[in-house]
């Protein structure tokens, strides 16, 4: 058991006052807002609400820290990030508890998010960025190299609050930038803790964390002291971020929503694959950007697949994430709960539709919805055309694979997709026809530190993860040197 500094004990106590991290120090705010536990729909903590002055000071601290941090070698910055990863592991239980309380996911899933956070901090900081000699022909040596951008504004959503932040921290800081991170006001607490845990590890000003409402995000996106925005969230907000960032022509990376299709081919091993498909649709209560949001099934196997999905849904254990054996928690907030219920009402009004499982809320406090399987719904219903971001899966029938591919592609989004088959080469060929940033064969979900991730179309702009991801936090620079003739 590592020795924990006195100041960092009792981190998961909801009574404990949490603070922003500005220039390596903790700071409260004059005003604060309530944080609600989605499993009870009741507030359990207050969160400091950063002022614009605090935002300006965080940006100034990050700018001041940039010169020294950017001059350090990759190896040095990597050591800092490895230490931070170890610190996160030391406090994994506390962080997971806070995530379950504020986000609602089962404690085992929150623990996985924290393990993933530590892993990403470590694995992404191991990525190597090398200069590339483009030409060396005796006359000129032309080298392409990458230099850090400056101060990164990082903005995160409420579905995987700390896990998604860790990608931005690792890539942004490894590249030599400093950062101001703003979590969602629905799930700010574990991210504030991350800031607190970093204070005696990272040099002051390198990593600042501010909690606050959407206006802090907007100001960050407009701020002249910020060089790049790395944003993860909805398509609508992503467009606003891009507009705000245009005033200073900031670099932007946008990781946005998805309406991911999965296509089951008629040769698939249905018994083995259906539970995997179910898991990839209902993970985190369907609140995953890359969850399966539409499932295309061949007509001759339609009833079989629908029955087995309905069976899985009826036996899925839903409840408070702290209860043992719970597999799915609530929707994370009232706004999302109301939105998903609205989509459900629209679904029920569709002609000929059948609700095979779920279709109702749970009779208890909290934002719970039973896992819902929907059959015989038209392609133009909201459940099919929009990102539901909740535990409702439409199962769509097809008779011809080309038709399934074109219906799968008929969306403004293009984050991920999957093809399920016993013939992986055939699966790979169909995968290449799908308009999505990542297409899996025989699985769906997961992001890997060394594999670029991002969306086609309105699912985003740019890529994170891997060499490409780290380079997106850097500016390419060409150095063109005449090669002196040998005397
Ligand atoms: P959201 O867009 O409502 O909010 C995301 C963040 O943006 C929050 O921190 C919010 O405070 C901030 N924000 C709000 N208005 C802003 C503005 N005008 N300027 C700057 N920042 C602003 O998203 P959400 O509801 O928190 O998250 C759910 C969405 O995120 C879903 O669409 C989901 O698919 C998407 N998502 C995408 C990925 C990915 O990697 N592609 C990962 C997770 C979630």
């Amino acid at each position: 058991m590592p020795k924990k500094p006195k100041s960092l004990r009792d981190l998961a106590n909801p009574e404990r006052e949490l603070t922003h991290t500005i220039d390596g120090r903790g700071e409260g705010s004059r005003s604060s807002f309530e944080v609600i536990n989605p499993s009870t729909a009741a507030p359990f903590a207050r969160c400091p609400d950063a002022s614009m002055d605090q935002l300006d000071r965080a940006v100034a601290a990050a700018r001041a820290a940039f010169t020294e941090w950017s001059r350090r070698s990759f190896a040095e910055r990597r050591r800092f990030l490895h230490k931070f990863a170890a610190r996160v592991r030391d406090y994994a239980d506390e962080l997971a508890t806070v995530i379950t309380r504020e986000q609602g996911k089962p404690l085992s899933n929150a623990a996985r998010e924290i393990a993933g956070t530590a892993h990403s901090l470590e694995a992404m900081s191991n990525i190597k960025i090398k200069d590339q000699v483009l030409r060396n022909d005796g006359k000129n040596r032309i080298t392409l190299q990458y230099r850090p951008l400056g101060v990164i504004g990082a903005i995160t959503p409420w579905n995987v609050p700390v896990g998604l932040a860790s990608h931005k921290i690792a890539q942004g800081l490894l590249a030599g930038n400093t950062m101001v991170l703003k979590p969602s006001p629905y799930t700010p607490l574990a991210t504030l803790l991350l800031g607190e845990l970093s204070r005696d590890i990272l040099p002051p000003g390198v990593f600042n964390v501010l909690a606050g409402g959407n206006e802090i995000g907007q100001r960050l996106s407009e701020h002249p002291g910020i060089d790049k925005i790395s944003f993860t969230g909805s398509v609508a907000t992503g467009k606003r971020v891009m507009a705000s960032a245009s005033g200073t022509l900031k670099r932007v990376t946008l990781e946005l929503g998805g309406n991911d299709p999965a296509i089951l081919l008629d040769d698939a091993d249905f018994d083995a694959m259906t539970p995997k498909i179910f898991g990839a649709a209902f993970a985190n209560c369907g609140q995953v950007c890359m969850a399966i949001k539409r499932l295309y099934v061949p007509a001759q196997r339609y009833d079989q697949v629908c029955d087995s999905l309905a069976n899985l849904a009826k036996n899925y254990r839903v409840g408070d994430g702290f209860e043992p054996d719970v597999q799915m928690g609530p929707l994370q907030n009232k706004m999302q709960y109301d939105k998903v219920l609205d989509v459900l009402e629209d679904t029920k009004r569709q002609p000929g539709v059948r609700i095979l499982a779920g279709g109702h809320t749970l009779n208890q406090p909290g934002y719970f919805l039973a896992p819902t399987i929907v059959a015989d719904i038209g392609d133009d219903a909201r459940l099919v055309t929009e990102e539901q971001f909740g535990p409702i899966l439409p199962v769509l029938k097809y008779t011809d694979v080309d038709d399934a591919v074109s219906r799968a592609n008929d969306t403004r989004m293009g984050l991920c997709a999957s093809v399920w088959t016993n013939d992986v080469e055939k699966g790979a060929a169909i995968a290449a026809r799908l308009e999505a940033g990542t297409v899996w064969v025989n699985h769906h979900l997961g992001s890997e530190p060394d594999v670029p991730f991002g969306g086609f179309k309105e699912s985003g702009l740019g890529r994170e993860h891997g060499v490409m991801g780290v380079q997106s936090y850097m500016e390419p620079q060409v150095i063109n040197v005449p090669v002196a003739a040998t005397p």
Side-chain angles (χ1 to χ4, degrees), residues 156-159 182 214 217 231-234 237 255-257 289 387:
T156 46
W158 43 256
N159 59 337
K182 189 208 89 69
N214 298 345
F231 172 84
T232 302
S234 63
T237 311
E255 295 282 3
L256 309 179
C289 55
E387 180 189 39

Side-chain angles (χ1 to χ4, degrees), residues 26 35 55 58-59 83 86 100 133 138 158-160 188 222 242-243 257 271-272 311 335 349 358 373 419 430:
V35 183
L55 172 59
V59 174
K83 262 193 178 174
T100 293
V133 177
W158 43 256
N159 59 337
V160 189
E222 292 165 348
M242 200 166 166
D271 290 340
N311 218 13
M335 181 254 333
R349 284 195 295 270
I373 303 293
V419 182
I430 293 173

Side-chain angles (χ1 to χ4, degrees), residues 259-265 290-292 294 404-405 408-409 413-421 424-448 451-457 463:
N259 189 6
D260 291 13
I263 303 179
L264 255 171
L265 301 187
M290 55 178 139
I292 294 176
R294 300 174 281 153
V405 168
N409 285 337
M413 293 181 173
L415 193 59
C416 302
S418 55
V419 182
W420 300 75
T421 170
V424 293
E425 291 315 320
K426 184 164 139 200
I430 293 173
R433 294 168 58 197
L434 289 169
E435 295 162 2
T438 301
V439 190
W440 294 280
V441 174
N442 294 346
H443 64 119
H444 195 121
L445 282 192
S447 74
E448 297 174 72
V451 179
F453 182 81
F456 281 19
K457 302 191 266 189
R463 293 292 180 274

